[in-house]
Amino acid sequence: MKEAKKRYTKAELKAELEAAGVRATVQRIAILGFMRENPVHPTADVVYDALCEEFGSLSLTTVYNTLKLLVEHGLISMLTIDDVFRCFDGNVAMHAHFMCKECKKIFDMEMPREVAEFAQTMDGFKVDEVQLYVKGICKNCNIDKR
Ligand code: ZN
Ligand code: MN
C-alpha cells in the first residue's frame, strides 16, 4: 500500500486541529503535518529527530505529549504492536498492521471487512477503534530463508 506523498498546507492542518477541538500551535501543526506526510509508524524519538532542528525549543517530552494529545482527539492513532516501542500512525483510515520480527518494520495491511463488521456487533457498545496485529517475517527478511 504505497501512495504518492501528499503535502498538507499549514492552513489545512490548523483547520484539522481546530475541528478536533485542539488549539493549533506552531509545533502541533508541524507534528501533525509530519504524521500525515510520513505514515510510516514513527516513534516519538523519530518525530523529535525530524523536527528538532526546525524548532530549537522542542523537547522529546513535548513531542510525546503532543502525539498523545492527537491520539486522544482521534487525529492519529497509537500502535502497541511492538511491546517495547510505542509508535504512531498518521493514517487513521481503518487498516491492519504486520510487524516483522527480524527487521522490526511495521507494514500496513488491509483490514478484513469481516473483522471491522464483527467489532460493531456488540449491542449497545460504541466502537472507536479496531486494531489487528499480525507478526512474523516480512518478504525481504524471508528471502534468505527460502
Ligand atoms: Zn523484515
Ligand atoms: Mn499504518
Side-chain angles (χ1 to χ4, degrees):
M1 253 164 56
K2 210 161 201 168
E3 283 150 39
K5 198 164 160 176
K6 183 186 185 305
R7 302 286 307 176
Y8 289 78
T9 66
K10 287 199 169 66
E12 278 177 312
L13 295 162
K14 184 170 181 281
E16 242 198 280
L17 285 165
E18 284 169 355
V22 180
R23 195 166 58 84
T25 65
V26 179
Q27 292 183 351
R28 286 173 182 171
I29 289 172
I31 292 170
L32 180 61
F34 181 84
M35 293 307 299
R36 285 285 184 269
E37 289 171 7
N38 299 279
V40 291
H41 320 110
T43 58
D45 294 77
V46 171
V47 180
Y48 171 73
D49 286 343
L51 298 177
C52 65
E53 227 171 278
E54 188 182 342
F55 299 98
S57 62
L58 195 65
S59 71
L60 181 57
T61 307
T62 305
V63 170
Y64 189 73
N65 289 339
T66 303
L67 290 168
K68 292 251 308 239
L69 181 80
L70 298 179
V71 170
E72 279 160 28
H73 288 83
L75 290 164
I76 63 172
S77 58
M78 183 166 76
L79 306 181
T80 52
I81 189 167
D82 186 315
D83 46 23
V84 181
F85 299 106
R86 295 262 171 286
C87 48
F88 297 87
D89 197 342
N91 172 11
V92 286
M94 194 181 277
H95 60 286
H97 292 97
F98 180 101
M99 187 174 82
C100 174
K101 289 178 181 169
E102 302 253 313
C103 67
K104 301 287 177 193
K105 269 192 199 139
I106 299 172
F107 300 83
D108 285 337
M109 290 174 71
E110 240 173 84
M111 177 72 82
R113 189 147 28 105
E114 300 75 36
V115 174
E117 282 171 5
F118 175 70
Q120 308 288 341
T121 56
M122 277 168 37
D123 202 19
F125 287 68
K126 181 182 159 288
V127 174
D128 284 337
E129 189 184 328
V130 178
Q131 295 289 358
L132 174 65
Y133 295 150
V134 181
K135 297 182 188 184
I137 311 288
C138 79
K139 203 172 163 183
N140 292 336
C141 295
N142 204 22
I143 275 173
D144 321 325
K145 301 199 162 57
R146 272 189 298 218

